[in-house]
Amino acid sequence: MTLEQFISNNRGIDDGRDLPRDLLASLYVSIVRDEIKIEQREYISAVTEGWLYKQGGRVKTFKKRYVILSGSVIYYYKTAKEREPLGFIPLEDVEVRPLHNAAAARRSATQRDAALSSSRLHTDARLYRFKLHSA
């Protein structure tokens, strides 16, 4: 965004009046200088990382995603080499539960292990579902 676009986007924000041009120019310069960016891969310190299957939000299919757990955030990527995450999940006030049911108890040990390799991660915003990736 250019300075002129920034000034144009902020017209009339002071009860219908324009803020002084010098003030907007000063704000623009400080925003450009101290731009806020999502953490990039090289700055994320991984507690653990690897492949999981993550269920989509609208289309309920599972997609293979490379995930990095860093402190209180899970970042997920399309590939292990991507620099920018597809998204992230803040882990404050999150409830994690294994997915299993009574029918799973009657299955073979292999089937039970497969059923228990899935989990739900419930945040205030949405429910995430993950499955382990088999090597």
Side-chain angles (χ1 to χ4, degrees):
M1 176 181 294
T2 67
L3 172 60
E4 293 308 316
Q5 290 169 327
F6 181 77
I7 290 172
S8 176
N9 286 343
N10 286 288
R11 286 201 177 114
I13 64 169
D14 185 20
D15 286 328
R17 296 182 307 244
D18 292 346
L19 293 172
R21 183 178 175 84
D22 292 345
L23 173 64
L24 290 174
S26 173
L27 285 171
Y28 175 81
V29 168
S30 83
I31 290 168
V32 169
R33 185 184 58 234
D34 301 320
E35 184 179 359
I36 298 171
K37 293 184 177 180
I38 191 168
E39 283 188 66
Q40 290 193 352
R41 184 76 178 264
E42 61 265 16
Y43 301 111
I44 297 173
S45 59
V47 173
T48 190
E49 57 188 285
W51 291 100
L52 288 175
Y53 286 95
K54 179 188 160 292
Q55 188 177 48
R58 288 186 303 154
V59 179
K60 300 299 183 189
T61 58
F62 281 88
K63 302 272 186 181
K64 185 177 172 182
R65 297 291 181 236
Y66 193 79
V67 298
I68 298 176
L69 173 62
S70 175
S72 61
V73 178
I74 293 176
Y75 297 91
Y76 55 94
Y77 301 81
K78 192 170 188 174
T79 70
K81 297 184 186 213
E82 296 284 322
R83 291 177 45 82
E84 305 253 346
L86 290 172
F88 63 92
I89 305 166
L91 298 177
E92 291 85 20
D93 300 321
V94 168
E95 180 182 337
V96 179
R97 291 186 188 164
L99 290 177
H100 62 285
N101 56 32
R106 294 187 299 270
R107 295 181 186 147
S108 70
T110 304
Q111 289 172 324
R112 263 196 313 275
D113 289 346
L116 293 174
S117 68
S118 300
S119 57
R120 291 190 307 200
L121 194 142
H122 213 115
T123 69
D124 288 339
R126 90 171 241 217
L127 172 67
Y128 294 87
R129 293 177 192 237
F130 291 95
K131 289 183 183 180
L132 291 178
H133 171 67
S134 304

